[in-house]
Amino acid sequence: MCNDSYVRFSNITKVFGPVKANDNVSFDVKKGEIHALLGENGSGKSTLVSILSGIYTADSGQIFVNGKEVVFSSPKDAIDAGIGMVHQHFKLVEVLTAKENIVAGSKIGFFIKGKELSNKITEISEKYGLAVSPDKKIYNMSVGEKQNVEILKMLYRGAEVLILDEPTAVLTPQETKVLFSILRKMKEKGCAIIIITHKLNEVMEISDRVTVLNKGVCIGTVDTKDACIKQLTEMMVGRSINLDLERAETEITKDPMLEVKNISYNDALGFSILKNVSFDLHGGEILGVAGIAGSGQKELCEIIAGVLCAKSGEVLFKGENINGLSPRTIAKKGIGMSFIPEDRLGMGLVAGKSIVDNVMLKSYHRNKGIFVDREKGRKLAEQIVKDFDVSTPSVNHIVKKLSGGNIQKVLLGREVGLDPEILITAYPVRGLDIGASYNIYDILNREKRKGIGILFIGEDLDVLLQLSDRLMIIHDGEVMGIVDPRTTTKEQVGLMMLGKNIEEVL
């Protein structure tokens, strides 16, 4: 690692209305360095790298690249200066090949013949250890391969500074290992790499230095070898947090509350999303579900909750088939089921309504007579705010104006407040900071102790393995197996996420 700064932020300030997203932020990134950028939601990480990548312009302060001050007015300016960003949600055209995506929008190589272009891409791939087939269509690629194409696209355009936003969020452990190998090779070749991630174990493994932001202010930069997870967490949130996750010991019901038998589902275009999915869920347990994004988790939740109807199979609640019944019909049958969807503001809550109105969405039909009892709704909303420590000016505050963590608390509080027998939750901590996430885990354990059966769709394998009583792995709409997380490794789960069945792995 070179001692000279390659990228230097000097007193960067960026304001959006009354919010100061970056407040005189200063730190540097060296050549041949992997530099982690940490901070809770709203700490200013995304704003800062958006300024570096030309999406935003700083209100004040300076950025230096290789000793020269730069001012970017567009992403093209940043790319021309050798700075490339790989977003968490890939910017690829699915029907095009890898090489077509790599040269799209680029003057470099636009008129190069196909064979010559393939050779050039292969040369860069081999230099950095990127496994990319130039003529392979994007829709035929795994998530890891797509990410390689995004990285290769930046390198092809001459990037010497690479920004990666949550690069391992949707990767299996095996794909993460490959990515880290690629990043280390890029580091050896002199690239400067900035990585934004919430996974502190990975920060400790891959980074050379860490810069922590808190509410737009740079708290400091530390050498990773001299730091620990506890220290980094305290820098991020300003206080000590217990990061120990417990698997609450409870008495699990003998008979299952929920049985899913041979569920299959096709989307509107006829593509098979779920294929003969079968499992059961008992009271007093957390059944975790792991799988690469888009493996059918969303559709499975919505079928159980009554939002979608399966093409075939049964969803049995205490022996009664509820497949095809609407959520209202399920509720009228006296079946206690709560659903916390992945899309909390699209499907879970009404963004433009108050906390009171959103709380009443699930209970107004229980009112006797034609008038809605708003006083009862207000009291319930106040109880949720108190019990779940929702930070809000009042229960009449519009939901979309709350932070992500507080929005999730309102949704979780409403669903838990219905006293369900079954709780279905999809990615309940996605986008939340560490403190809010661990609060949600505590709530799930609390509900489990009450005897509730919890179906927990997650993306952090470490959390799934620590929190779940059993772990089901899905690949491409099929169940690869249900394992005991106490005796199964993260690597074994990763292989099953990639399509290996339980007999091949254990």
Side-chain angles (χ1 to χ4, degrees):
M1 181 173 69
C2 177
N3 288 324
D4 297 328
S5 299
Y6 190 67
V7 176
R8 182 162 64 88
F9 299 90
S10 178
N11 300 312
I12 295 293
T13 296
K14 181 66 179 176
V15 177
F16 297 98
V19 178
K20 191 173 277 190
N22 294 136
D23 187 0
N24 288 308
V25 174
S26 298
F27 71 95
D28 69 318
V29 182
K30 303 178 188 301
K31 259 198 171 185
E33 173 184 44
I34 299 175
H35 196 112
L37 193 57
L38 283 180
E40 293 189 291
N41 292 338
S43 64
K45 306 184 302 295
S46 296
T47 301
L48 193 64
V49 296
S50 292
I51 293 170
L52 180 59
S53 59
I55 297 171
Y56 296 144
T57 301
D59 295 327
S60 62
Q62 299 167 292
I63 295 178
F64 298 88
V65 176
N66 204 17
K68 297 180 181 178
E69 184 177 356
V70 296
V71 179
F72 302 139
S73 58
S74 70
K76 182 182 179 300
D77 291 344
I79 291 170
D80 290 344
I83 296 166
M85 182 166 180
V86 177
H87 298 268
Q88 183 177 353
H89 302 290
F90 305 141
K91 312 292 184 183
L92 299 171
V93 181
E94 293 280 323
V95 296
L96 298 183
T97 63
K99 69 182 179 186
E100 288 168 341
N101 270 279
I102 288 167
V103 299
S106 169
K107 292 181 180 179
I108 305 173
F110 185 78
F111 297 105
I112 296 178
K113 292 181 180 179
K115 188 175 181 181
E116 186 180 345
L117 178 59
S118 294
N119 290 339
K120 184 172 177 62
I121 290 171
T122 301
E123 180 185 334
I124 299 172
S125 298
E126 291 175 351
K127 179 180 179 180
Y128 294 102
L130 289 154
V132 172
S133 176
D135 297 304
K136 191 173 182 179
K137 299 279 189 182
I138 299 298
Y139 61 74
N140 284 326
M141 294 184 177
S142 68
V143 176
E145 288 177 303
K146 291 177 183 179
Q147 191 171 66
N148 285 352
V149 173
E150 284 280 26
I151 294 172
L152 192 51
K153 184 167 69 175
M154 294 300 117
L155 294 173
Y156 180 83
R157 298 177 186 190
E160 293 184 347
V161 178
L162 190 68
I163 306 163
L164 296 157
D165 185 10
E166 298 288 355
T168 66
V170 292
L171 300 185
T172 66
Q174 287 77 9
E175 289 171 325
T176 297
K177 187 176 180 180
V178 171
L179 172 65
F180 285 0
S181 175
I182 291 166
L183 296 183
R184 289 186 181 105
K185 284 186 180 179
M186 293 176 67
K187 169 184 163 179
E188 290 170 6
K189 302 292 183 183
C191 290
I193 300 164
I194 301 172
I195 181 170
I196 298 174
T197 180
H198 69 280
K199 298 181 178 180
L200 296 179
N201 288 329
E202 293 180 357
V203 169
M204 300 302 295
E205 178 182 348
I206 191 64
S207 68
D208 297 297
R209 289 192 300 157
V210 185
T211 292
V212 180
L213 302 182
N214 187 327
K215 297 179 181 178
V217 176
C218 182
I219 301 302
T221 299
V222 297
D223 291 334
T224 308
K225 62 180 175 57
D226 298 327
C228 66
I229 289 177
K230 185 175 182 294
Q231 176 194 357
L232 295 177
T233 303
E234 289 179 3
M235 290 173 70
M236 286 169 62
V237 302
R239 67 184 190 279
S240 179
I241 287 182
N242 182 8
L243 297 179
D244 294 330
L245 266 180
E246 67 165 321
R247 182 185 292 107
E249 296 301 326
T250 59
E251 187 174 339
I252 297 174
T253 60
K254 181 179 179 182
D255 296 322
M257 283 187 175
L258 183 75
E259 294 176 271
V260 174
K261 293 188 175 182
N262 301 312
I263 285 292
S264 293
Y265 175 76
N266 293 348
D267 66 12
L269 298 175
F271 291 105
S272 179
I273 305 298
L274 294 171
K275 304 158 190 172
N276 294 314
V277 171
S278 296
F279 65 91
D280 57 30
L281 174 65
H282 296 252
E285 78 162 339
I286 296 178
L287 175 63
V289 181
I292 295 169
S295 293
Q297 303 96 316
K298 178 178 180 289
E299 292 78 7
L300 178 61
C301 288
E302 292 179 5
I303 286 170
I304 296 171
V307 179
L308 297 176
C309 179
K311 182 181 80 170
S312 60
E314 296 177 305
V315 178
L316 303 176
F317 179 84
K318 294 184 178 178
E320 180 179 359
N321 187 16
I322 59 174
N323 179 39
L325 301 183
S326 69
R328 176 66 60 83
T329 304
I330 291 172
K332 283 183 176 179
K333 282 181 167 287
I335 296 171
M337 184 186 299
S338 288
F339 176 36
I340 301 167
E342 177 181 354
D343 184 2
R344 61 183 73 127
L345 275 184
M347 184 179 288
L349 300 171
V350 180
K353 293 289 185 180
S354 69
I355 296 175
V356 172
D357 289 335
N358 274 284
V359 167
M360 292 176 65
L361 282 176
K362 278 292 196 76
S363 58
Y364 74 91
H365 60 277
R366 297 178 182 176
N367 284 281
K368 296 177 182 179
I370 61 173
F371 297 104
V372 175
D373 187 352
R374 290 193 63 83
E375 181 60 22
K376 186 177 179 181
R378 184 185 63 80
K379 287 181 178 178
L380 182 56
E382 288 175 346
Q383 193 64 45
I384 288 172
V385 167
K386 179 182 177 182
D387 292 347
F388 289 80
D389 193 25
V390 180
S391 179
T392 177
S394 79
V395 292
N396 296 313
H397 197 63
I398 301 301
V399 161
K400 68 180 177 183
K401 294 182 179 180
L402 297 173
S403 70
N406 286 304
I407 289 171
Q408 189 72 334
K409 287 177 185 178
V410 170
L411 178 55
L412 191 60
R414 185 189 72 188
E415 296 300 311
V416 167
L418 296 170
D419 293 324
E421 296 175 86
I422 292 175
L423 177 62
I424 304 164
T425 177
Y427 309 108
V429 301
R430 178 177 283 173
L432 304 190
D433 55 51
I434 289 177
S437 296
Y438 276 75
N439 185 43
I440 299 296
Y441 301 145
D442 288 341
I443 291 169
L444 293 181
N445 266 327
R446 187 182 74 193
E447 296 308 304
K448 172 187 168 182
R449 290 189 184 98
K450 294 179 182 177
I452 293 174
I454 300 172
L455 186 68
F456 172 35
I457 316 287
E459 55 192 354
D460 190 322
L461 283 186
D462 290 313
V463 171
L464 282 168
L465 287 167
Q466 291 177 69
L467 206 61
S468 305
D469 297 284
R470 292 184 297 147
L471 183 60
M472 178 169 72
I473 299 94
I474 293 182
H475 169 77
D476 194 25
E478 294 185 75
V479 176
M480 295 293 104
I482 298 176
V483 301
D484 184 345
R486 301 166 187 80
T487 58
T488 308
T489 67
K490 191 161 67 170
E491 288 69 29
Q492 288 172 324
V493 173
L495 288 172
M496 295 172 74
M497 289 170 65
L498 290 170
K500 298 280 187 182
N501 62 46
I502 190 168
E503 290 79 13
E504 296 175 280
V505 172
L506 301 182

